Amino acid sequence: QITLKESGPTMVKPTQTLTLTCTFSGFSLSTSGVGVGWIRQTPGKALEWLVVIYWNDDKSYSPSLKSRLTITKDTSKNQVVLIMTDMDPVDTGTYYCAHTQRHSRVTMVRGVPRVDYYSYVDVWGQGTPVTVSS
Amino acid sequence: DIVLTQSPLSLPVTPGEPASVSCRSSESLLHRNGYIYLHWYLQKPGQSPQLLIYLGSNRASGVPDRFRGSGSGTDFTLKISRVEADDVGLYYCMQTLQNPWTFGQGTKVEIK
């Protein structure tokens, strides 16, 4: 059974740096196709995808937040860490880490194999609330 | 960014009756490999979202067959054949075709 749990401060001040840790079980981040991502939810319930890191250390960041985000993994500890700099009150919300599956599909194009990838989020953590306020 | 627009935003339903949620994309979500990069989630009250449908029409493990995803290109639908009380919550569509991955605004399903 796959489970993920987020941990970190519940409150930070504007301009401070937020560090969140995702501790997971039921899978390994050294297994091909496996990734862990971060998604946040505003108080108004809108969802925003932030970043994902895969088993091979491939990372994909939301362009609008890329300059403020860093994601790392520690496979031996079954943890993923998200760092977000220069926090602002608009960053207030619930932060989720989530197991992400990346698959490949091979199709033949004029006799030549072509590999495409697809991903989807399949298991979410319980979420951790973060408030940004002075 | 790809914009996903859901409708309706609020859906009162009667138990035992069917229900339908629409998700319209600003760009086609049909990849050249033939897959549709559109997924559906349900966030029950007080819980985190759970995967219902992936790649447009594939039910996730443990999801009852009364949930069905369909659509192609830019228009997608999640249908519940017979709504149960446990189906209340926020329904979201999500696309993973293009970075950044984006979500619809959510549709709140509640019992009449």
Side-chain angles (χ1 to χ4, degrees), chain A residues 39 41 45 47 49 54 60-63 96 100 105 114 116-122 124-125, chain B residues 31-35 37 39 41 43 47-49 51 54-55 90 92 94 96 99-101 103:
Chain A
I39 297 160
Q41 186 168 36
K45 299 300 184 183
L47 291 168
W49 174 81
Y54 290 104
S60 185
Y61 291 91
S62 173
Y96 296 95
T100 303
R105 186 178 193 196
R114 182 180 68 200
D116 293 307
Y117 297 94
Y118 61 92
S119 296
Y120 56 89
V121 175
D122 58 355
W124 300 55
Chain B
H31 193 278
R32 63 185 182 180
N33 62 17
Y35 285 167
Y37 286 39
H39 323 288
Y41 298 86
Q43 185 175 31
Q47 297 184 20
S48 53
L51 177 66
Y54 62 95
L55 297 177
L90 282 163
Y92 295 93
M94 177 190 185
T96 57
N99 184 0
W101 297 350
F103 293 87

Side-chain angles (χ1 to χ4, degrees), chain A residues 31-107:
Chain A
T31 300
S32 178
V34 173
V36 172
W38 289 90
I39 297 160
R40 66 183 179 182
Q41 186 168 36
T42 67
K45 299 300 184 183
L47 291 168
E48 180 180 18
W49 174 81
L50 304 179
V51 62
V52 63
I53 186 169
Y54 290 104
W55 82 102
N56 58 359
D57 213 38
D58 187 20
K59 301 163 191 172
S60 185
Y61 291 91
S62 173
S64 65
L65 292 167
K66 185 174 183 177
S67 64
R68 298 174 53 206
L69 296 177
T70 302
I71 189 169
T72 60
K73 62 181 175 67
D74 187 330
T75 305
S76 63
K77 291 184 179 179
N78 280 353
Q79 289 182 334
V80 168
V81 174
L82 175 71
I83 298 172
M84 181 179 284
T85 61
D86 194 24
M87 293 294 284
D88 183 272
V90 300
D91 296 313
T92 293
T94 298
Y95 286 71
Y96 296 95
C97 63
H99 179 269
T100 303
Q101 295 267 26
R102 184 190 218 179
H103 299 275
S104 62
R105 186 178 193 196
V106 180
T107 52

